[in-house]
Amino acid sequence: MDHLYSSVTMDDEFKKLVIRMNPPRVSVDNKSSRTATLIKVDSANKRGSLLEVVQVLNDMDLIIRRAYISSDGEWFMDVFHVTDQHGNKLSEDGVAERIQQSLGPRARSFRSLRRSVGVQAAPEHTTIELTGRDRPGLLSEVFAVLTDLKCNVVAAEVWTHNSRMASVVYITSEATGLPIDDPDTLAKIKKLLLYVLKSNRDKQGANTAVSVGSTHKERRLHQMMYADRDYDMNDTESGSSDRCKPLVTVDNCSDKGYTVVNLRCPDRPKLLFDTVCTLTDMQYAVYHATVIAEGPEAYQEYYMRHMDGNPISSEAERQRVINCLEAAIKRRTSEGISLELCCEDRVGLLSDATRIFRENGLSVTQAEVTTRGSQAVNVFYVIDSSGNPVKSETIEAVRKEIGLTILRVKDEAYSKSPPQESGKFSLGNLFRTRSEKFLYNLGLIKSCS
């Protein structure tokens, strides 16, 4: 046994030495293509190399039009045809250096999966991770609890899929503007949020855990939803349709010993990142891949094996790969009407806004919360809580209550002509009867009677 452990350790150290001796090389080519910038990456191969590169391109908000990936053996070579968000070629300044730094020996490795309610202290904020059964008003209750506990939400991202919800929330202390690291306060936050997440209908339940280290929001959301088994189609919402499903096929290439995955679906930003995240979480290694996304549809083909070197060997595993890739694509697919909330940031802003959504019969399916200086820039996707199409009158009523210049509809298809702004902003002065009743039930405030 000691001999085996020694051999494994020596093998790991040898791989690290190879990577140190052969740092990644990144080149940026603006001459070979008239329509895109070619980013070429080659380096010693290591687990997660492909995901690290794709994650950097994702974080730089680049659009991947084509990709050719090869990592068979000890070396990987990737070529990405990319543009910016407006379809333009890139400036070469800093692109190669940023990608190279992400793949260097000091690059942070991916964290293991963590459980469903976690709180961690980081240098700039405290991170809260939530998963549970989705229901109308859930996000409103989460933000109400944080507001009453004197927590300021500086950033957050929320995904919902297949009746499940996952969220990563960054908070600071309202009083100090610093991360919350008091053990008693963290324990209280976890306890109350777990109470909010628990539901009699939630078969999978919710657990608590304290995590350490920093987190990448989108990467963690994929890990959390995968761990929460949102790909389990037994719990699919009744409103889903086969027409919305991506086309995924999984076959074995027996002469080469690969499993071949083909995927076709409507193209959108970050699609490649979403699929590579899932294959990585499922412990598959991609040896060759081709990606084409130059029109309304995207095509992806992967030649892969399990981490033990074997292709898929059972029908159950094949179906699981299909379900997981479908889930990865649909998690980020925006459902509902997009609303953008832009105004001066303040404590309780999110609690008030989401409460107004709830009181007007709207449910949030996706949210991205950011703070830029003193300004809050928040995007919400909302649907009718009863499953009916959202009425334009409802949207306009919500906008009037929050402020017509503050809450705007982002959807191009939304043609309702908004009434003139009254000039009155009432969001901070609204009477919160329902929220107060909810917080009273949690024991956070005293009875007003």
Side-chain angles (χ1 to χ4, degrees), residues 144-161:
V145 168
L146 293 175
T147 297
D148 202 78
L149 291 174
K150 309 301 181 184
C151 301
N152 184 37
V153 178
V154 295
E157 191 146 351
V158 181
W159 291 355
T160 63
H161 173 248

Side-chain angles (χ1 to χ4, degrees), residues 239-247 265-266 329-330 333:
S240 63
S241 169
D242 287 343
R243 292 179 300 174
C244 301
K245 282 188 175 182
L247 178 61
C265 68
I329 294 167
K330 293 171 71 175
T333 301

Side-chain angles (χ1 to χ4, degrees), residues 55 119 302 339 357-358 367 385 414-415 438 442:
Q55 180 169 299
V119 178
Y302 299 96
L339 303 175
F357 293 160
R358 185 190 69 212
S385 298
Y414 185 84
S415 58
F438 167 70
L442 288 180

Side-chain angles (χ1 to χ4, degrees), residues 251-274:
D251 301 289
N252 279 342
C253 179
S254 55
D255 57 331
K256 299 292 184 180
Y258 293 117
T259 291
V260 184
V261 174
N262 279 282
L263 184 154
R264 187 178 75 189
C265 68
D267 190 30
R268 61 165 174 77
K270 304 182 181 182
L271 179 63
L272 180 60
F273 173 76
D274 296 339

